[in-house]
Amino acid sequence: MSNPQAAYEELIAHLREVALFGSIGSVLGWDERVQMPDKGAEHRSNQSSLLARKVHEQFTSPKIDELLREVETSDSIRDQESDPAVNVRETRRQYDRATKLPGSLVEEMAKTEVLAQAAWGQARAKNDFPAFRPWLEKWLELKKQQAACYGHTGHVYNALLEDFEPGETAENLTGVFEQLRGPLVELIGKIVSSGRPAPIEILERSYPAEAQAKLAREAAAAVGFDFSAGRLDVSLHPFCTGIGPGDTRMTTRYDEKYFGDAFFGVLHETGHGLYDQGLPEKHFGTPRGEAVSLGIHESQSRMWENLVGRSRAFWKFFLPKARASFGHLADVNEDQWYRAINDVRPSLIRTESDEATYNLHILLRFELEKAMLSGDLSIAELPGAWNEKMKKYLGVTVPDDARGVLQDIHWSGGAMGYFPTYTLGNLYAAQFFEQAGKDLGDMEGQFAKGEFAPLLGWLREKIHSQGKRYTAAKLVEKVTGRALSAEPLLAHLRRKAGEVYGVA
């Protein structure tokens, strides 16, 4: 006799076990990038590939399908926004995709990720793209195999994009970028020709790493990151990973001759960390306890980094603390500091770029990924294509591959289809922040007094606690009352450009 409730409970128990194995993989990944010795890469690749295969086998077990079928016919999921309905809907979507991938491919991708990331780190340090090229060629072939297994409509890119931003398409993203490109290029042109350079030399003084680390931790804690349930370390490429309830790990890197990289990088990762710490613990291992999408996750990091962390109000509260950490800031007033940290100028490095030029970096990567996947661009041609687009979109000449095509870790991990989520994150962040201002009142006054709990509480209620209850598009409409629009982000950038550069 059918028993949907018992089947649902068994399904949840199985999903949580799979999630526990997955979290072990997250620990291995964190260790790999933070403290694993270089010679451990081969052994770690074997560990990671074995674990990935086991997790894949667990999740693609016919038993999952059997349990889903029993629950899908029950009345318990009639309310599509109920916890059971969300868990069944999203598990079905993920299961149907996962079962299309052979275990051998999953294992091969996991092994390649470890070895390719190690090769990338060495190639970047030596400015040696030819050394990394075979790994990128291997990844491209694996991603094409993955896309073929999934199947797709429209561009092949859509098959991979679905893993990061469910429901999004390359065709739609192309339109979104077109809405941004013209206004951004126009705004950046006005800024560059304004004749009012920001005093960035303030940020290029001596900033000892130890003092930076102390200040960054203080900032992360001030906005709400719980260090009793997380930590901050150093890695080649900053990241945040939610291991599980009570364990969220962030990393950054320090440049003692530049303040902005680490401080705002930590605020960025803190945004991710706050989301992970805000996911409902009782739903761990199920879709109701997972982030909506990478774009929504990125909206949290960009909000705390830029909309909060680069605001004048934030520094009314935090500049005295920065002066206490770095005595040479005693002669810097609030206006000088605000203009310095909001400098806009085309630059080489995506992670160090400003709010206005950032999305042009993403556009470049999006176009290159599409071209590689469609076969219109070979890996051998990639550095030249990269350099050409940097010149075309940002007017910047790339001096070497380390600061060009090798600068990001993502391709070494096979994350093709990932980059567009950054721009979606910027768009989501601006629209959410605009609505938060309407709901919470004087947020600037709150930030100036060091009161960040109201905004964090709003985010926890509206976004973090919801897990995957809604799709990204529906969540935006639910929270803000309208579909995603480029206008809030453009309005924010124009407003700041007016304050800093006197342009409209």
Side-chain angles (χ1 to χ4, degrees):
M1 183 176 178
S2 176
N3 187 338
Q5 182 58 36
Y8 177 73
E9 291 173 1
E10 185 176 350
L11 173 67
I12 296 303
H14 195 102
L15 291 176
R16 285 181 171 148
E17 186 172 289
V18 174
L20 284 172
F21 276 105
S23 70
I24 294 170
S26 296
V27 175
L28 290 176
W30 173 86
D31 176 81
E32 173 198 333
R33 289 181 278 176
V34 173
Q35 57 189 21
M36 184 189 76
D38 290 343
K39 290 185 178 180
E42 181 69 33
H43 182 62
R44 180 55 47 83
S45 74
N46 292 331
Q47 292 175 313
S48 298
S49 61
L50 173 63
L51 187 60
R53 176 164 59 83
K54 292 296 185 183
V55 169
H56 182 71
E57 288 173 355
Q58 270 194 309
F59 186 66
T60 57
S61 164
K63 184 64 176 179
I64 295 280
D65 186 49
E66 179 184 323
L67 294 170
L68 283 170
R69 287 179 185 277
E70 186 162 356
V71 180
E72 284 168 339
T73 60
S74 73
D75 291 336
S76 63
I77 63 170
R78 185 168 296 173
D79 177 2
Q80 295 185 3
E81 294 179 359
S82 68
D83 293 346
V86 172
N87 287 332
V88 170
R89 179 193 74 219
E90 289 300 311
T91 300
R92 169 57 74 189
R93 184 185 69 81
Q94 294 168 15
Y95 178 85
D96 286 349
R97 281 177 68 77
T99 51
K100 293 177 180 179
L101 299 181
S104 58
L105 178 59
V106 173
E107 189 171 2
E108 183 66 18
M109 288 194 296
K111 186 170 186 174
T112 300
E113 179 176 0
V114 176
L115 296 176
Q117 286 188 344
W120 166 79
Q122 294 170 6
R124 182 173 179 267
K126 297 177 182 178
N127 184 34
D128 186 3
F129 179 78
F132 180 61
R133 175 181 161 183
W135 290 105
L136 194 49
E137 288 174 336
K138 182 171 185 178
W139 260 130
L140 182 59
E141 179 57 34
L142 289 173
K143 301 312 284 188
K144 287 180 178 179
Q145 289 180 36
Q146 184 182 14
C149 290
Y150 284 149
H152 59 88
T153 56
H155 199 284
V156 61
Y157 196 83
N158 294 338
L160 304 180
L161 183 60
E162 180 73 13
D163 279 339
F164 306 112
E165 202 67 20
E168 192 54 85
T169 67
E171 291 80 8
N172 184 61
L173 284 175
T174 299
V176 170
F177 280 122
E178 286 302 317
Q179 292 175 29
L180 283 172
R181 181 179 6 214
L184 281 178
V185 170
E186 180 183 0
L187 181 63
I188 293 165
K190 290 180 179 179
I191 290 172
V192 171
S193 61
S194 68
R196 295 179 60 177
I200 62 169
E201 62 277 2
I202 295 171
L203 305 178
E204 297 170 343
R205 297 175 180 181
S206 174
Y207 291 95
E210 186 176 346
Q212 284 193 60
K214 182 176 181 295
L215 188 68
R217 279 182 63 92
E218 189 174 353
V223 301
F225 187 79
D226 180 3
F227 276 100
S228 69
R231 55 184 293 134
L232 175 64
D233 294 279
V234 175
S235 69
L236 181 61
H237 190 96
F239 68 93
C240 175
T241 184
I243 305 294
D247 191 352
T248 298
R249 307 187 186 191
M250 308 186 295
T251 71
T252 192
R253 60 188 177 205
Y254 299 100
D255 181 345
E256 296 195 328
K257 295 182 179 179
Y258 183 70
F259 175 82
D261 195 2
F263 186 86
F264 292 107
V266 169
L267 278 182
H268 179 98
E269 302 306 336
T270 295
H272 286 304
L274 291 173
Y275 194 173
D276 288 340
Q277 291 185 340
L279 291 169
E281 182 174 343
K282 69 178 182 179
H283 291 298
F284 169 73
T286 74
R288 267 292 283 114
E290 297 171 352
V292 182
S293 71
L294 286 185
I296 296 296
H297 221 309
E298 186 68 11
S299 76
Q300 304 306 284
S301 60
R302 300 300 280 184
M303 185 182 298
W304 288 103
E305 175 192 0
N306 291 326
L307 298 168
V308 177
R310 295 183 193 274
S311 69
R312 189 183 294 274
F314 179 90
W315 289 99
K316 284 183 183 295
F317 171 70
F318 222 78
L319 188 55
K321 300 178 185 298
R323 290 193 183 112
S325 297
F326 308 104
H328 57 65
L329 292 181
D331 65 341
V332 176
N333 63 41
E334 184 183 297
D335 187 64
Q336 290 172 315
W337 184 258
Y338 179 68
R339 293 184 64 227
I341 63 172
N342 286 291
D343 172 55
V344 172
R345 69 182 67 196
S347 61
L348 287 167
I349 308 300
R350 175 188 62 85
T351 57
E352 299 170 10
S353 63
D354 57 82
E355 290 181 273
T357 61
Y358 185 90
N359 293 304
L360 296 178
H361 285 268
I362 301 305
L363 175 61
L364 175 152
R365 288 155 174 80
F366 173 57
E367 292 181 349
L368 292 176
E369 285 186 340
K370 286 197 300 179
M372 285 189 286
L373 286 164
S374 65
D376 294 330
L377 179 69
S378 71
I379 301 301
E381 297 169 321
L382 182 60
W386 177 289
N387 297 348
E388 182 181 335
K389 286 183 179 292
M390 283 292 290
K391 187 69 175 179
K392 176 182 177 182
Y393 294 151
L394 291 156
V396 173
T397 299
V398 179
D400 53 56
D401 289 335
R403 286 171 286 183
V405 70
L406 288 173
Q407 67 178 263
D408 293 309
I409 194 174
H410 302 67
W411 288 339
S412 70
M416 292 185 181
Y418 183 108
F419 279 115
T421 65
Y422 287 126
T423 284
L424 285 171
N426 288 333
L427 294 167
Y428 294 144
Q431 195 156 324
F432 286 145
F433 194 74
E434 182 181 78
Q435 186 62 44
K438 296 175 183 177
D439 293 347
L440 297 175
D442 185 16
M443 288 201 299
E444 288 189 1
Q446 294 165 8
F447 297 164
K449 293 183 289 186
E451 297 174 359
F452 304 102
L455 175 59
L456 180 57
W458 187 89
L459 294 170
R460 289 268 156 87
E461 175 193 350
K462 304 289 186 180
I463 299 170
H464 304 174
S465 65
Q466 301 301 321
K468 276 187 161 72
R469 189 190 302 277
Y470 309 107
T471 63
K474 190 169 184 180
L475 180 67
V476 171
E477 289 197 39
K478 191 85 174 176
V479 174
T480 69
R482 59 173 173 152
L484 181 64
S485 167
E487 282 310 307
L489 177 60
L490 289 170
H492 163 74
L493 294 174
R494 287 166 179 150
R495 181 169 57 249
K496 188 172 283 187
E499 294 175 357
V500 177
Y501 291 97
V503 300

